[in-house]
Amino acid sequence: MSVYNNAFRWRYVLILPILAAILSPACSQSGSRKPTPSGPEQKNEGQEITGPHFRFSQQPAVNGGPDEKNWCRGRFDQAVVINAEKDDPNRRYFYLGPGTTKVALGPSGMTALFMLRPAGNGVVEIFHGAHFPACLSQPANFSPAGPATVIHYRNHKNMTFSLVTREADGHSIVTIVLPEGNRYGLDIDYCSNCE
């Protein structure tokens, strides 16, 4: 009888850890879920942003063609008035008029180039290198990838700034938020012949 009990006990001692090893992952997976990603790269399908916001244009890339279609060769000959906010010297804003506006900024020369165009209902379309690869900044420098009220820019040289949009009296206002202690130059011009 004691030999039988010892044999049964040894089997129980050997089988129990193996059984626990097999059942442990299955039990832990059934009660837990992986966290969902969050942050600017996450897209909220079905959720629409209402009110003023930025949207990246869906226009295909333009490399050639007439000047009015290829904005890289457009006449940006009308300067846009740039205002400074009284309470924060690192914030500059301007009123976005109809048509195409080019923004160029950066330290020691203009290293970030992109274009903006009002699309109605407070929406501001952004054009970058995916649309005009010959002259505008790379799309990877802009985030998030979808519609947003704030767009962040960071290039491989650690040049950073943010864009914020709002509306006042039916006009889109774009604010550029520059980093502390920046020495960025800023030039904003309207195109007189871009379609």
Side-chain angles (χ1 to χ4, degrees), residues 67 71-81 98-103 115 187-194:
D67 291 356
W71 298 349
C72 290
R73 296 194 305 245
R75 286 195 307 267
F76 289 90
D77 51 4
Q78 298 175 15
V80 173
V81 175
T100 306
T101 301
K102 179 173 68 176
V103 180
M115 296 181 197
D187 185 34
I188 303 173
D189 297 292
Y190 175 75
C191 183
S192 61
N193 73 329
C194 299

Side-chain angles (χ1 to χ4, degrees), residues 16 26 30 44 48 50 54 87 91 95-96 98 104 112 116-117 135 139 159 182 190-191:
L16 187 60
S30 65
N44 295 329
E48 299 245 349
T50 59
F54 292 103
D87 299 336
R91 294 172 69 95
Y95 288 84
L96 187 65
L116 304 173
R117 176 174 252 189
C135 65
M159 186 183 127
N182 75 86
Y190 175 75
C191 183

Side-chain angles (χ1 to χ4, degrees), residues 39-64:
E41 58 279 336
Q42 183 182 6
K43 290 186 179 179
N44 295 329
E45 300 294 333
Q47 283 188 347
E48 299 245 349
I49 295 178
T50 59
H53 64 275
F54 292 103
R55 178 181 72 201
F56 292 98
S57 175
Q58 297 300 308
Q59 174 180 305
V62 176
N63 287 309

Side-chain angles (χ1 to χ4, degrees), residues 2 5-6 14-15 20 22 28 41 48 60 78 85 89 97 103 113 117 128-129 134-135 150 152-153 157 180 182 185:
S2 66
N5 283 341
N6 281 341
L14 291 175
I15 292 174
I22 292 170
S28 66
E41 58 279 336
E48 299 245 349
Q78 298 175 15
E85 289 192 5
V103 180
L113 288 166
R117 176 174 252 189
H128 48 48
C135 65
V150 178
H152 300 287
Y153 178 95
K157 297 177 182 176
E180 288 287 330
N182 75 86

